[in-house]
Amino acid sequence: LPESFDWREKGAVTEVKIQGTCGSCWAFSTTGTIEGANYIATGKLLNLSEQQLVDCDHTCDAKDKTACNNGCSGGLMTNAYKYLIDAGGIEEEDSYPYTGKRGDCKFNPEKAAVKVVNFTNVPIDEKQIAAHLVHHGPLAVGLNAVFMQTYIGGVSCPLICGKRWVNHGVLLVGYGSKGFSILRLGNQPYWIIKNSWGQRWGEHGYYHLCRGRGMCGMNTMVSAVMTQTS
Amino acid sequence: QDPEIILQVTDNHGHHHLLGTHTERHFRSFVRDYGKEYPTREEYVRRLGIFAENLVRAAEHQALDPTAVHGITPFSDLSAEEFEAMYLGVRGGGGGAQLANGVRGTAEEMEVEG
């Protein structure tokens, strides 16, 4: 594994998006990992539609029937992959733009830009997560966002952060070996996490979370997709 | 009961003591920087109170998370409950177990040594 790695430098990550006052982080996490997988497969970075997922995806988990995708009220990335496999693909942002509100489903299969053929969870070991990130592209991640409301920058490494209360979907795009610490309490390895709250939040829209401790449950809900190339 | 009488059931009045304080000056900067608009004076005062609480919360987070910087963000006028309802959206993540939705378990482990 390289000491540090960043898919942004390789052109696999779209610009930071804004979900607005809508609990659709799961949709942004989903599109992020598909955008990355498609880039690795085709060399083209496409900006994909979250609104399609918000409007059209009502999939529930196969085991937990109460864990259903429900537009701005929340969802799960693994449900969204299942929906996209069944629906026949996902449109681009331009053809199905984001509004931040749930509306009628307007998905047109003929406009699908990327098709999802499979997905998987990634082992909770953070070295494994790093290996899958490097080999398969940006990964969808769920974490406990309790410290993110007040986060401005630096490497977040809280002394206490619940690992079992995962409530926010984000995108893992890379990692670094020595994170900048404004209080100079020591450099530490960190994950580079793309968020969907705009560039005015955090490190230009990104969250730096310390690596190797399962911090805030970031290792418990990690997934990757495989896309179809024509 | 007289339907014309509307009773105040929230604690907005408790935040009036913040008006004219250093905290309100911070809040005004926040409102200007992030283009916030509140429809009524009461709502302004209510948001000011939440903002003050979030300053305390940011200080607590800073103490618990010293290698990061915590402070005023675009969400500083939202309570923790409002923030969770408006900006978070993963459901069913409380168990810590990975939901697979039909796929077979977890990806194979890769060689990571060396």
Side-chain angles (χ1 to χ4, degrees), chain B residues 12-30:
Chain B
N12 294 358
H13 295 301
H15 298 313
H16 278 141
H17 67 279
L18 293 168
L19 294 173
T21 62
H22 189 62
T23 301
E24 195 198 6
R25 284 193 288 278
H26 271 303
F27 184 59
R28 281 186 186 166
S29 298
F30 164 80

Side-chain angles (χ1 to χ4, degrees), chain B residues 56-109:
Chain B
V56 174
R57 195 152 158 259
E60 290 170 354
H61 282 184
Q62 188 65 75
L64 281 170
D65 187 15
T67 55
V69 181
H70 289 271
I72 296 169
T73 71
F75 313 115
S76 291
D77 61 343
L78 299 176
S79 69
E81 294 75 22
E82 288 173 327
F83 174 72
E84 176 152 10
M86 291 178 181
Y87 290 96
L88 309 182
V90 164
R91 301 289 178 259
Q98 299 214 28
L99 295 173
N101 208 346
V103 299
R104 200 184 305 166
T106 302
E108 282 184 25
E109 295 211 349

Side-chain angles (χ1 to χ4, degrees), chain A residues 75 79 128 149-150 153 155-157, chain B residues 57 61 65 67 69 73 89 110:
Chain A
N79 288 350
Q128 289 294 323
Q149 185 176 1
T150 58
V155 177
S156 184
C157 200
Chain B
R57 195 152 158 259
H61 282 184
D65 187 15
T67 55
V69 181
T73 71
M110 301 175 77

Side-chain angles (χ1 to χ4, degrees), chain A residues 1 19-23 25-26 59-62 64 67 73-79 82 118-124 127-128 131-132 135 145-147 149-159 164-169 180-183 185 188 197 200-201 219-222, chain B residues 30 32-35 50 54-114:
Chain A
L1 287 171
Q19 68 185 70
T21 53
C22 170
C25 58
W26 58 276
T59 310
C60 298
D61 184 75
D64 183 356
S73 297
L76 288 169
M77 291 75 92
T78 45
N79 288 350
K82 179 77 163 50
N118 206 351
F119 65 95
T120 186
N121 286 318
V122 174
I124 62 170
K127 283 185 179 174
Q128 289 294 323
H132 280 82
H135 285 277
V146 65
F147 282 85
Q149 185 176 1
T150 58
Y151 174 80
I152 290 176
V155 177
S156 184
C157 200
L159 301 174
R164 291 176 66 82
W165 190 246
V166 171
N167 56 10
H168 187 45
F180 171 71
S181 166
I182 199 159
L183 295 180
L185 294 176
Q188 51 195 331
W197 297 342
R200 295 193 70 187
W201 175 87
N219 59 335
T220 61
M221 192 190 281
V222 185
Chain B
F30 164 80
R32 189 174 56 247
D33 290 348
Y34 292 108
I50 293 171
N54 277 329
L55 289 183
V56 174
R57 195 152 158 259
E60 290 170 354
H61 282 184
Q62 188 65 75
L64 281 170
D65 187 15
T67 55
V69 181
H70 289 271
I72 296 169
T73 71
F75 313 115
S76 291
D77 61 343
L78 299 176
S79 69
E81 294 75 22
E82 288 173 327
F83 174 72
E84 176 152 10
M86 291 178 181
Y87 290 96
L88 309 182
V90 164
R91 301 289 178 259
Q98 299 214 28
L99 295 173
N101 208 346
V103 299
R104 200 184 305 166
T106 302
E108 282 184 25
E109 295 211 349
M110 301 175 77
E111 177 59 50
V112 293
E113 298 305 322

